[in-house]
Amino acid sequence: MIRMIKNFKWIYFVLLCCHSSTSAQKSDSALTVVDDTEAAGGGNDHEARGDEEELEVLQPTQTWQTLQPGQAVPAGSHVRLNLQTGQREVRMGEEQLKYWNPEHEKTEESGGSLYSSDELKKIMKKIKEDLSPAEYTSHNQFRPLEELKKDMAQLDMLVETDVQILRRLLNHFNSSSTSTEQRLNILEELEYMVHQVDNAQSLCMMGGLQLILNCLNSSDSRLQEYSAFVLGSALASNPAVQVKAMESGALTSLLTALATAHPFSVKKKVLFAVASLLRHFPYAQQHFLSHGGLQVMSTVFRADSRGPLRARIITIIHDMIREKELVSQELESHQQERIRQYSGVSLLELLLEEGWCSVVPQLLESPEHDHREKALHTLLAMSPACLAVYQSDMGLQERLLMLRLQYQDKTPVEPSYFAELTDLIDELQKKL
C-alpha cells in the first residue's frame, strides 16, 4: 500500500480499472482494460451491485509479459497477440513509459498486487484530500493594501510623487558638487516632466523657473540650449506659467539670448521658448513689440542663411496675426476683454514700418517646400498692411509665377500638398 501511494501515477492507472471492471462481464479468456470514471455516489455503486470480488491487475513493465486469463491491465497499456505461442502479452504504452523509473521495476519484481475497488477508491480519496484546491489557492489570493505597504516599507521601497521628484532634481541641480553633465541630465528630466501642467506650475512655486532663466546666461552653450528647451515646454499652453515667466523677466532674457552671438542650436530652442511665451498671451505680445522684439528677430532672420530659423520666426509672426484676427471675429460678450487686450497689439503696422514686407519674401528662395509654404501663409496674413509693397516688388511677382509653374507640374505626383501650395500662390496673385 505504501509503495503504491508513493507512485501516485501508478495508483491512478490502477484506479482506472475499478469502476469499469466491476460493471463489465468477465470470462477466463476475456481481456479486461480498466478505466476510471467515478460515478456519482462513489461507494454506493459497488454496494448496489453487491459485487465484493477482488480484481487482479497486472502492472505492465518495459518488457513484454504474458497476460493470464482473468487479468486486467491499466488503460493505455500495449497489448499484442503472440502468433507463435498463441498467448496475449502486455507491456507499457507510450504515455506510461514517460513516468517509468527503477522503483517501478522493484515493485513489479515482487509480483502483482490485489486490491478491491473499495480499497483503491479510499486511496484515491485520500490523495485528493491531500491535494485539495484549498491548500494551494490560498497562496494566490489578493493581499490587503496595508500588508503590501508594510512589505514595501520593509524593503525600503519609496514611491516618489512628481513634486518630490521635482524638489529632489532642483536640489541636486543647485548642489555645488553637481557636474555639468549631471545638470544636463537633470534638465532633460525636467523637460519631460513639465509637459504636465501641474508639474510646470509646481516648478515655478519651487523657484525652478528662476533657476532655468539663470542657465540662459551660462557660459556653457549646452546648458543654454537645454534650459531654453525646458522653459519652452513649461510655457506651452500653460497661462499660469506664462504670467509667472513675464513677472520673472523671461522675455528680456530670451531676447537677450537671441541678440547675443550664440550657436544655432541655442537660438533654435530660444525661439521655441519665445513662441510658447507669446502664444495666446496678448500682454506678452505687447511687451515683445515695445521692447524691440521685431528688430531682434529681423537680425536673426537676415543672419540665417540655412533657413530653419527664418521659418520659425515667420511662423511666430503669422500666428500672432491670426490670433488677433480670430479674436476680433468673436461676438460673445465674454470675449470683449480679450478683444480689448489684442487691440493694443499693433503688429501689422510695425511689420510695415520695420521692412518685414520685403524681408519675408526672401524665404521663398528656400529649396524647402515647407519653408515656402510658411512664407506664403505669412505673406497672405501680412497683405492688409503690405499689399502696396508686394505690388511694387517685381521680383516677388516673378518668383510667384515660377513657383506656380513648378507646383503645377508636381501636382500629379502629390495632388493634395502641391495643389494646396498652388492655391496659396493663386490667392496671393489675385490680391496683387
Side-chain angles (χ1 to χ4, degrees):
M1 175 73 72
I2 295 176
R3 292 179 180 176
M4 294 300 294
I5 293 176
K6 288 183 178 179
N7 298 279
F8 166 65
K9 292 183 173 63
W10 282 104
I11 295 174
Y12 180 79
F13 288 137
V14 172
L15 180 59
L16 293 176
C17 74
C18 298
H19 186 274
S20 176
S21 61
T22 56
S23 61
Q25 295 182 353
K26 295 175 56 180
S27 68
D28 290 342
S29 62
L31 170 63
T32 303
V33 179
V34 295
D35 193 6
D36 178 36
T37 53
E38 185 176 8
N44 293 334
D45 180 55
H46 176 77
E47 295 175 2
R49 295 192 305 269
D51 185 5
E52 296 294 336
E53 64 176 332
E54 294 180 343
L55 180 65
E56 181 181 2
V57 180
L58 176 63
Q59 298 297 335
T61 64
Q62 287 181 303
T63 59
W64 291 103
Q65 302 178 73
T66 301
L67 187 62
Q68 302 298 331
Q71 288 182 321
V73 297
S77 301
H78 190 179
V79 180
R80 74 178 183 182
L81 178 62
N82 192 324
L83 298 179
Q84 295 179 352
T85 63
Q87 293 180 331
R88 289 164 298 155
E89 298 177 344
V90 62
R91 75 171 183 183
M92 289 182 177
E94 295 298 329
E95 292 297 323
Q96 295 169 333
L97 286 172
K98 293 180 181 178
Y99 307 106
W100 178 262
N101 61 51
E103 291 295 328
H104 297 150
E105 188 171 358
K106 294 179 182 179
T107 302
E108 293 303 323
E109 291 176 356
S110 64
S113 299
L114 295 177
Y115 297 99
S116 66
S117 60
D118 282 345
E119 290 174 331
L120 292 173
K121 287 179 180 178
K122 289 179 181 179
I123 295 172
M124 193 61 188
K125 182 178 180 181
K126 180 64 170 61
I127 294 173
K128 288 183 177 180
E129 290 175 353
D130 293 341
L131 297 178
S132 173
E135 183 177 335
Y136 56 85
T137 54
S138 61
H139 300 288
N140 297 328
Q141 294 176 352
F142 292 106
R143 301 170 63 193
L145 179 60
E146 293 302 324
E147 183 179 343
L148 291 174
K149 287 182 178 179
K150 291 180 181 179
D151 291 344
M152 293 174 66
Q154 293 175 355
L155 295 173
D156 293 328
M157 294 178 61
L158 177 62
V159 179
E160 290 183 301
T161 64
D162 284 355
V163 173
Q164 292 172 328
I165 295 174
L166 287 172
R167 184 174 290 110
R168 173 174 57 81
L169 291 175
L170 292 178
N171 290 337
H172 190 197
F173 192 93
N174 277 324
S175 175
S176 58
S177 61
T178 304
S179 65
T180 300
E181 293 299 329
Q182 290 174 328
R183 286 192 170 93
L184 291 174
N185 291 333
I186 292 173
L187 288 173
E188 187 175 0
E189 290 189 49
L190 289 175
E191 194 280 327
Y192 174 78
M193 295 188 67
V194 298
H195 281 279
Q196 288 189 342
V197 173
D198 293 341
N199 288 341
Q201 295 176 5
S202 298
L203 181 71
C204 293
M205 295 175 60
M206 296 177 187
L209 182 61
Q210 190 60 51
L211 183 67
I212 300 302
L213 292 176
N214 292 339
C215 280
L216 286 175
N217 299 323
S218 171
S219 58
D220 193 308
S221 61
R222 295 176 301 169
L223 287 175
Q224 295 172 347
E225 177 185 351
Y226 274 66
S227 60
F229 194 22
V230 175
L231 180 60
S233 298
L235 291 167
S237 303
N238 201 329
V241 179
Q242 287 177 310
V243 172
K244 187 66 176 177
M246 285 298 298
E247 294 174 351
S248 302
L251 180 61
T252 302
S253 298
L254 291 171
L255 291 178
T256 301
L258 280 178
T260 309
H262 286 311
F264 170 84
S265 59
V266 175
K267 291 183 180 294
K268 183 178 178 180
K269 290 298 189 293
V270 170
L271 284 174
F272 165 64
V274 171
S276 298
L277 178 60
L278 299 182
R279 188 170 293 114
H280 303 299
F281 195 10
Y283 176 80
Q285 293 178 17
Q286 292 176 26
H287 280 71
F288 171 78
L289 297 177
S290 62
H291 285 73
L294 285 179
Q295 293 93 323
V296 174
M297 284 193 170
S298 177
T299 302
V300 176
F301 186 97
R302 298 175 190 277
D304 179 35
S305 59
R306 299 170 59 182
L309 296 183
R310 292 185 173 188
R312 286 177 178 264
I313 289 172
I314 66 170
T315 299
I316 294 174
I317 294 174
H318 172 267
D319 290 346
M320 291 172 63
I321 296 173
R322 288 295 296 161
E323 280 179 24
K324 184 175 181 179
E325 290 179 354
L326 294 174
V327 170
S328 64
Q329 297 171 4
E330 297 289 345
L331 301 178
E332 291 81 358
S333 58
H334 67 275
Q335 293 288 345
Q336 295 305 311
E337 175 59 24
R338 288 185 60 80
I339 293 175
R340 185 191 67 78
Q341 293 176 3
Y342 273 99
S343 63
V345 181
S346 304
L347 179 58
L348 287 175
E349 294 81 353
L350 287 175
L351 290 173
L352 178 60
E353 291 177 8
E354 297 182 16
W356 281 92
C357 300
S358 301
V359 171
V360 175
Q362 297 177 20
L363 193 58
L364 293 176
E365 304 294 332
S366 172
E368 300 292 334
H369 300 300
D370 178 63
H371 295 172
R372 295 173 183 175
E373 179 186 3
K374 288 180 170 61
L376 290 171
H377 280 294
T378 306
L379 288 171
L380 284 170
M382 294 167 52
S383 61
C386 299
L387 188 57
V389 178
Y390 296 165
Q391 291 173 338
S392 61
D393 189 347
M394 299 304 298
L396 171 61
Q397 298 185 36
E398 293 178 359
R399 184 60 182 165
L400 291 175
L401 181 60
M402 292 176 59
L403 288 177
R404 193 187 187 288
L405 294 175
Q406 178 182 349
Y407 290 138
Q408 191 173 11
D409 294 337
K410 289 181 176 292
T411 299
V413 179
E414 193 174 347
S416 58
Y417 181 67
F418 291 114
E420 180 182 354
L421 294 179
T422 303
D423 291 341
L424 290 174
I425 295 173
D426 289 342
E427 184 177 356
L428 186 57
Q429 286 180 328
K430 288 179 181 179
K431 292 181 177 293
L432 298 179

